[in-house]
């Protein structure tokens, strides 16, 4: 009801007491949907009207002190500046009122929810000459006289309308209509309906304004409210409190909720990953070791008929006969060699999965702690501080925008491209010619950059660890030893038309390293 005619009936007289006869000293906007009017009152005090015309949440408020920003603002409606306010007029049964100045100009506040606007008129009889929200072009055809809707609230008219509340009193709004419905208005007879209408109108004649929360929205009402968060008889205070709750607090609540949902989603993904990895490890551990199968094959080569695809052999590890499958077209000896190689890779996979589990378990603990800390945050300043410093997991701006992961190796920054396209962007926009570029040799992988520091040579341990990262973030991740090329960025160039991530490299050198992830740096 904060934009309702019945609330404006109290608001306009309260404004008159404050600023009638005052001088307009400023009229500007520093946000797209916000207009600020400043008046110098007869008591030589400043008074501000803040009209926030957000389509999602339009409101009026009256801050005692408003500091204009030094940039990113624009003066509006200069015609009303340095003119005296001679009247504030509420249009009959309409969600609109206007300010009238000593030069005859009029500023109309059309408070029509998502289509709210502020219009400048030369006189009461003219069409508007300027709009605050220029996208609402049809407002240029609005005449002040056409907005007023005098209503006959007699029993005769109510009876003629057969008790239709919306037609009888269109200004009721959602909350009073909901109250009528709750009181049995729809099922009641005509006389009972009229009594209920009179009752709700009497309640709206009483200047008691309550603000309460329903689900995730804050509402202002003139009806009795048992769960009010704030109540007052001053309409200006009510409007200010509503702004703090419905605009400021609700924006905070929405941002906090979005962050909590993001953390919950990350926590759920991490928990799913942990469960799947544990299940995979359990299955891998329950399967016979490939090296043991290879040992059985090698010990029984003389018993395996040529061309066999499966054979029953004695398993000396479990002391029982076991069925072993062989690969068609591959000799048993060669098949055993392949099993030995796979066993070695499987051991590496085991180790990597266990390392991943450790990393993810730490991440899960951090996410749970961040959720607990975020639940305790009660103000925008703390929330912004957390998101700005990145203490909320995944909220760092650079994680969203930057094309690389950043690590620190013995005081040097090492950047790792996130994808093929990110590799191109990293090389094109984020490197200096003397930075060192690294990449796993002859396989797909991430570009790795060691950021050069002025006057310092890159130590061999830093180069080796960055190369280990380049090998880790490549197709050679599971090998025991990998070749990595490196060279200054000035010798790496992108060829026009080449695939994402593909580059030409001159004067490269090669280093042999074992692939190592960031947890081993």
């Amino acid at each position: 009801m904060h934009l309702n005619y019945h609330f404006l009936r109290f608001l306009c007289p309260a404004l008159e007491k404050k600023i009638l006869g005052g001088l307009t000293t400023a009229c500007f906007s520093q946000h797209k949907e916000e207009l600020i009017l400043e008046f110098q009152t007869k008591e030589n005090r400043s008074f501000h009207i803040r009209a926030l015309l957000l389509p999602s949440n339009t409101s009026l408020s009256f801050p005692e002190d408003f500091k204009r920003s030094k940039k990113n603002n624009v003066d509006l409606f200069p015609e009303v500046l340095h003119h005296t306010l001679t009247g504030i007029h509420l249009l009959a049964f309409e969600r609109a009122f206007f300010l009238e100045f000593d030069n005859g100009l009029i500023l109309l506040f059309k408070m029509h929810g998502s289509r709210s606007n502020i219009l400048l008129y030369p006189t009461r009889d003219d069409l508007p000459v300027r709009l605050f929200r220029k996208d609402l072009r049809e407002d240029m055809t609005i005449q002040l006289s056409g907005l007023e809707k005098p209503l006959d609230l007699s029993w005769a008219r109510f009876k003629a309308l057969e008790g239709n509340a919306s037609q009888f009193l269109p200004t009721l709004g959602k909350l009073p209509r909901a109250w009528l419905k709750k009181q049995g208005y729809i099922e009641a007879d005509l006389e009972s309906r009229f009594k209920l209408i009179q009752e709700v109108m009497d309640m709206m004649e009483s200047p008691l304004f309550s603000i309460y929360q329903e689900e995730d929205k804050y509402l202002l009402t003139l009806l009795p409210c048992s769960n009010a968060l704030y109540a007052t008889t001053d309409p200006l205070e009510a409007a200010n409190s509503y702004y703090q709750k419905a605009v400021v607090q609700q924006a905070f609540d929405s941002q906090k909720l979005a962050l909590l949902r993001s953390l919950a989603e990350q926590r759920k993904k991490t928990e799913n990953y942990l469960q799947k990895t544990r299940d995979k490890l359990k299955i891998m551990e329950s399967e016979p070791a490939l090296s043991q199968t290879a040992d059985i094959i090698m010990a029984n080569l003389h018993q395996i008929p040529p061309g066999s695809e499966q054979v029953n052999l004695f398993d000396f590890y479990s002391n029982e006969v076991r069925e072993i499958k062989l690969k068609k077209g591959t000799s048993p000896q060669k098949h055993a060699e392949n099993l030995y190689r796979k066993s070695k890779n499987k051991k590496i996979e085991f180790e990597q999965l266990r390392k991943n589990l450790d990393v993810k378990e730490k991440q899960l603990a951090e996410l749970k702690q961040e959720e607990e800390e975020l639940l305790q945050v009660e103000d925008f300043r703390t929330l912004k501080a957390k998101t700005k410093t990145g203490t909320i997991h995944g909220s760092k701006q650079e994680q969203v925008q930057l094309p690389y992961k950043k690590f620190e190796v013995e005081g040097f920054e090492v950047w790792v491209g996130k994808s093929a396209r990110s590799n191109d962007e990293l090389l094109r926009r984020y490197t200096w010619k003397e930075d060192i570029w690294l990449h796993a040799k002859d396989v797909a992988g991430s570009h790795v950059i060691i950021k050069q520091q002025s006057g310092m040579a890159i130590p061999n341990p830093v180069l080796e660890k960055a190369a280990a990262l380049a090998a880790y973030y490549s197709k050679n991740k599971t090998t025991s030893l990998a070749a990595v090329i490196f060279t200054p960025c000035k010798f790496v160039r992108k060829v026009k038309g080449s695939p994402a991530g593909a580059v030409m490299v001159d004067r490269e050198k090669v280093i042999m390293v074992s692939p190592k992830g960031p947890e081993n740096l």
Side-chain angles (χ1 to χ4, degrees):
M1 291 185 71
H2 63 290
L3 302 178
N4 192 286
Y5 162 77
H6 301 279
F7 176 68
L8 296 179
R9 284 183 65 243
F10 296 104
L11 184 67
C12 288
L15 279 176
E16 276 191 342
K17 289 180 182 179
K18 289 284 186 180
I19 56 173
L20 194 64
L23 192 69
T24 313
T25 52
C27 184
F28 62 94
S29 176
Q30 54 193 39
H31 298 291
K32 184 181 177 183
E33 308 292 352
E34 182 184 72
L35 179 73
I36 306 295
L37 273 164
E38 183 182 54
F39 295 91
Q40 195 74 20
T41 68
K42 291 185 289 187
E43 293 80 17
N44 203 29
R45 294 179 180 175
S46 291
F47 186 90
H48 300 87
I49 297 177
R50 172 170 49 201
L52 184 65
L53 305 188
L54 281 170
S56 59
N57 197 352
T58 300
S59 66
L60 291 170
S61 57
F62 312 95
E64 290 184 7
D65 183 31
F66 191 94
K67 294 181 180 179
R68 183 173 182 173
S69 64
K70 294 181 180 179
K71 55 183 180 178
N72 297 330
N73 61 73
V74 59
D75 289 310
L76 296 173
F77 302 123
E79 298 89 342
V80 303
L81 287 179
H82 311 300
H83 285 282
T84 303
L85 184 68
T86 57
I88 300 176
H89 305 277
L90 176 64
L91 299 177
F93 295 101
E94 177 55 83
R95 293 173 296 166
F97 65 94
F98 63 83
L99 309 182
E100 191 167 17
F101 298 90
D102 58 4
N103 58 353
L105 291 175
I106 286 171
L107 268 184
L108 173 70
F109 286 71
K110 180 182 73 112
M111 311 308 291
H112 287 190
S114 62
R115 302 194 66 78
S116 296
N117 206 353
I118 298 173
L119 299 76
L120 178 69
Y121 290 82
T123 68
R124 293 193 185 200
D125 300 322
D126 292 316
L127 289 173
V129 293
R130 192 172 293 114
L131 309 176
F132 175 65
R133 288 182 61 189
K134 296 177 182 178
D135 56 312
L136 301 178
R137 295 177 184 174
E138 62 273 22
D139 284 358
M140 292 296 288
T141 63
I142 293 176
Q143 288 185 312
L144 287 175
S145 57
L147 282 174
E148 290 201 284
K149 302 180 182 72
L151 294 178
D152 175 9
L153 300 180
S154 65
W155 160 253
R157 180 168 170 268
F158 184 82
K159 189 176 179 182
L161 292 171
E162 298 179 347
N164 187 311
S166 296
Q167 291 182 20
F168 180 71
L169 191 57
T171 58
L172 270 176
K174 292 181 182 178
L175 300 182
R177 283 201 299 270
W179 183 88
L180 288 172
K181 187 176 180 181
K182 192 175 180 180
Q183 301 302 314
Y185 186 87
I186 295 173
E187 299 82 12
D189 58 57
L190 208 57
E191 289 188 2
S192 299
R193 286 186 181 186
F194 191 66
K195 287 179 181 177
L196 286 171
I197 282 280
Q198 295 295 318
E199 188 177 346
V200 79
M201 287 173 60
D202 287 342
M203 286 190 287
M204 290 190 295
E205 292 286 335
S206 176
L208 177 61
F209 315 100
S210 301
I211 295 168
Y212 68 101
Q213 190 173 13
E214 188 173 86
E215 295 178 352
D216 60 341
K217 289 186 177 180
Y218 293 92
L219 303 169
L220 185 151
T221 182
L222 279 161
L223 304 181
C225 183
S226 59
N227 57 337
L229 300 172
Y230 178 82
T232 181
T233 57
D234 186 332
L236 298 176
E237 288 181 7
N240 286 338
S241 181
Y242 177 81
Y243 174 84
Q244 287 299 320
K245 294 290 186 184
V247 178
V248 180
Q249 184 66 38
Q250 194 153 316
F252 168 79
D253 292 343
S254 298
Q255 190 171 332
K256 180 178 173 179
L257 183 61
L259 287 169
L260 283 170
R261 283 174 177 166
S262 175
L263 286 173
E265 186 179 344
Q266 291 177 67
R267 175 173 48 78
K268 189 175 180 181
K269 285 180 180 178
T270 305
E271 288 170 342
N272 289 341
Y273 175 87
L274 286 169
Q275 186 60 50
K276 287 179 181 178
T277 305
R278 288 182 185 124
D279 292 344
K280 186 176 181 180
L281 277 172
K282 195 173 182 180
I283 292 169
M284 290 173 72
E285 287 167 352
S286 66
E287 293 174 342
L290 295 176
S291 59
Q292 291 181 6
T293 305
D295 289 343
I296 296 166
I297 292 171
M298 292 301 291
N300 294 281
L301 282 175
H302 61 286
Q303 295 185 26
I304 302 174
S308 298
E309 292 187 24
Q310 66 179 43
V311 63
N312 293 322
L313 299 174
F314 179 71
D315 183 347
F316 42 80
Y317 288 103
S318 62
N319 289 321
E320 60 183 21
V321 175
R322 195 178 120 205
E323 184 181 89
I324 295 175
K325 292 183 178 180
L326 301 173
K327 192 171 183 180
K328 186 178 180 181
T330 303
S331 68
Q333 187 172 355
K334 185 67 176 175
H335 183 62
E337 288 176 10
N338 289 339
L339 290 176
Y340 282 126
R341 179 175 50 79
K342 287 181 179 179
S343 178
K344 187 178 179 182
N345 289 340
K346 193 172 183 180
K347 195 176 292 183
I348 294 171
E349 187 181 359
F350 260 120
E351 291 174 2
Q352 190 58 53
L353 284 174
R354 289 192 181 100
K355 286 178 183 177
N356 291 348
L357 273 178
D358 289 340
V359 171
K360 290 293 183 180
E361 281 170 353
K362 288 177 183 176
Q363 284 184 5
L364 182 60
E366 289 173 2
L367 286 166
K368 286 180 177 179
Q369 184 179 347
E370 287 161 11
E371 279 187 284
E372 290 175 8
E373 290 176 357
L374 186 55
L375 284 168
Q376 305 304 316
V377 175
E378 296 295 338
D379 61 275
F380 252 128
R381 184 175 294 179
T382 308
L383 188 66
K384 285 181 179 178
K386 279 185 170 292
T387 55
K388 203 170 186 180
T389 57
T391 54
I392 293 178
H393 196 82
S395 67
K396 293 182 185 178
Q397 190 177 13
E398 63 181 27
Q399 286 185 335
V400 178
Q401 296 179 346
L402 298 179
Y404 57 82
K405 300 173 184 176
K406 184 164 65 175
F407 304 103
E408 186 177 323
V409 180
E410 298 185 18
F412 283 80
E413 283 192 8
V414 177
W415 297 352
V416 179
K418 293 180 178 179
S419 65
R421 290 184 180 276
S422 296
N423 286 338
D424 286 346
E425 190 179 356
L426 171 60
L427 190 63
R428 184 175 69 252
R429 295 180 54 194
Y430 294 90
T431 58
W432 181 58
K433 63 180 182 178
E434 296 301 333
D435 292 340
I436 300 299
W437 175 90
L438 305 95
H439 196 285
K441 185 175 173 61
D442 299 330
V443 294
S446 293
H447 291 199
V448 175
I449 304 294
I450 305 174
K451 296 300 291 178
Q452 185 63 269
Q453 296 183 22
S454 179
M456 291 181 66
I458 294 174
N460 282 334
V462 175
L463 183 65
E464 289 170 1
K465 289 181 179 180
L469 275 176
Y472 179 82
Y473 288 102
S474 77
K475 294 291 185 181
N476 283 339
K477 176 179 180 177
T478 57
T479 61
S480 57
L481 204 61
V484 174
I485 59 175
F486 65 95
T487 190
C489 286
K490 62 186 176 183
F491 297 127
V492 184
R493 65 186 187 278
K494 182 77 180 172
V495 178
K496 188 175 181 180
S498 62
V503 293
M504 291 288 291
V505 185
D506 297 324
R507 305 187 191 182
E508 77 270 17
K509 296 179 182 179
V510 179
I511 184 172
M512 301 299 293
V513 292
S514 297
K516 289 183 181 178
E519 68 276 4
N520 294 320
L521 288 178

